[in-house]
Amino acid sequence: MALQALGQSARWMAVRLVAPMLGTAVMAVVALFVARQVTQMPPILALSIIAGSGAAAYLMTLAVVLGGRMPAALRQAA
């Protein structure tokens, strides 16, 4: 319904969601892997390492998928 109101197709939306969905999947895999490696560390340090590595994986994935370009919506907002 919302896509009809915008005059856009489901394919249009799917193309725009590929990069964030792929980034989220990679981030989750990295965070789970790192979480298993830091089990003996203090909780706040472990959480910081897990979150940082997940965020880095997400950003690197988006940079690769988007070819280093910022999405048009973010360029316009800046």
Side-chain angles (χ1 to χ4, degrees):
M1 235 180 349
L3 289 175
Q4 288 176 344
L6 291 172
Q8 301 295 339
S9 67
R11 184 181 182 285
W12 174 84
M13 180 61 76
V15 167
R16 278 150 183 78
L17 290 177
V18 168
M21 289 176 70
L22 184 60
T24 301
V26 171
M27 176 182 63
V29 169
V30 168
L32 287 172
F33 176 77
V34 172
R36 291 184 177 167
Q37 307 304 315
V38 297
T39 56
Q40 300 301 316
M41 292 185 178
I44 193 71
L45 180 60
L47 179 61
S48 299
I49 292 170
I50 294 166
S53 61
Y58 182 84
L59 291 174
M60 286 189 280
T61 302
L62 285 187
V64 169
V65 171
L66 296 175
R69 295 176 287 113
M70 253 186 147
L74 292 177
R75 280 191 307 247
Q76 292 171 354

